[in-house]
C-alpha cells in the first residue's frame, strides 16, 4: 500500500492516500496551485508505474478555484500520466465545468479516453469506480 512516507520530501502530497480497497483518495482544500497539482500527479504516476489501477476518488467539497496556470499543469501532467478513472464528489459547478472541459481536451489531444464522473455521494462514486475497475480487469483478461 502506498503512503506518503514512501515518497521523498519533494514528492509529498498530503492530499492523496491509498485506501484499503485500492482506491486513491484525493482531498483538495482551497485553491489548486501548480505545485499541488504536480505533487498529486507524482503520486498517481508512482501508482501507475507499480502496475496498479489508478482509480481516484476526489473529494471536492472544499476545493477552491483552479487558476489558469494550474489548469495548464493539469493538462500537461494528464497527457503523460495513466489515470484509469476519476470520480469527483461534491464539486462546485465551476469545478465541474473546468474538469469536464479538461477531460474533453485531453481526450482530443491524446486520443485516450479520460473516464470521469461527478457524484453527489461517496457511495455512488465508489460504486462507479469499482465498476470501472471490474471493466478494466475484464478487458485485461480478454487480452491475455
Amino acid at each position: 500500500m502506498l503512503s506518503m512516507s514512501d515518497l521523498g520530501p519533494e514528492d509529498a502530497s498530503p492530499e492523496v492516500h491509498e485506501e484499503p480497497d485500492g482506491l486513491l483518495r484525493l482531498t483538495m482544500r482551497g485553491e489548486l496551485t501548480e505545485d499541488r497539482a504536480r505533487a498529486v500527479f507524482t503520486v498517481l504516476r508512482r501508482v501507475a508505474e507499480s502496475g496498479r489501477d489508478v482509480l481516484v476518488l476526489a473529494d471536492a467539497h472544499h476545493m477552491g478555484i483552479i487558476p489558469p496556470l494550474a489548469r495548464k499543469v493539469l493538462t500537461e501532467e494528464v497527457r503523460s500520466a495513466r489515470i484509469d478513472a476519476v470520480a469527483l464528489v461534491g464539486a462546485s459547478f465551476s469545478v465541474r465545468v473546468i474538469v469536464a472541459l479538461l477531460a474533453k481536451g485531453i481526450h482530443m489531444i491524446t486520443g485516450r479516453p479520460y473516464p470521469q464522473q461527478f457524484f453527489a455521494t461517496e457511495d455512488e462514486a465508489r460504486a462507479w469506480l469499482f465498476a470501472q475497475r471490474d471493466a478494466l480487469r475484464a478487458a485485461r483478461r480478454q487480452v491475455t
Side-chain angles (χ1 to χ4, degrees):
M1 184 180 297
L2 181 75
S3 72
M4 292 306 108
S5 62
D6 295 333
L7 306 174
E10 71 281 357
D11 295 334
S13 173
E15 290 109 352
V16 181
H17 73 273
E18 185 176 7
E19 297 192 334
D21 58 14
L23 297 182
L24 298 169
R25 176 178 285 278
L26 169 61
T27 304
M28 293 303 303
R29 295 189 183 282
E31 180 178 320
L32 179 64
T33 65
E34 298 163 72
D35 290 341
R36 290 174 77 193
R38 283 190 180 93
V40 166
F41 274 93
T42 297
V43 174
L44 299 181
R45 271 199 191 81
R46 295 253 173 107
V47 173
E49 289 167 0
S50 75
R52 290 176 287 167
D53 298 323
V54 183
L55 302 167
V56 180
L57 175 62
D59 179 352
H61 284 99
H62 304 286
M63 184 173 187
I65 63 169
I66 305 173
L69 289 176
R71 291 195 297 265
K72 182 179 179 195
V73 168
L74 289 173
T75 303
E76 293 167 357
E77 294 287 338
V78 169
R79 285 182 187 182
S80 63
R82 179 177 59 86
I83 300 174
D84 297 310
V86 178
L88 289 101
V89 180
S92 68
F93 177 75
S94 62
V95 168
R96 289 192 315 261
V97 168
I98 290 170
V99 170
L101 289 172
L102 283 171
K104 286 179 185 180
I106 290 160
H107 179 72
M108 289 173 53
I109 292 168
T110 66
R112 292 185 322 238
Y114 185 77
Q116 53 86 26
Q117 290 286 333
F118 302 99
F119 298 93
T121 70
E122 189 173 310
D123 288 342
E124 293 170 323
R126 285 178 177 283
W128 182 78
L129 286 168
F130 293 144
Q132 296 299 307
R133 180 173 62 190
D134 292 346
L136 287 167
R137 290 177 180 175
R140 285 188 205 120
R141 283 193 296 271
Q142 289 177 351
V143 172
T144 56

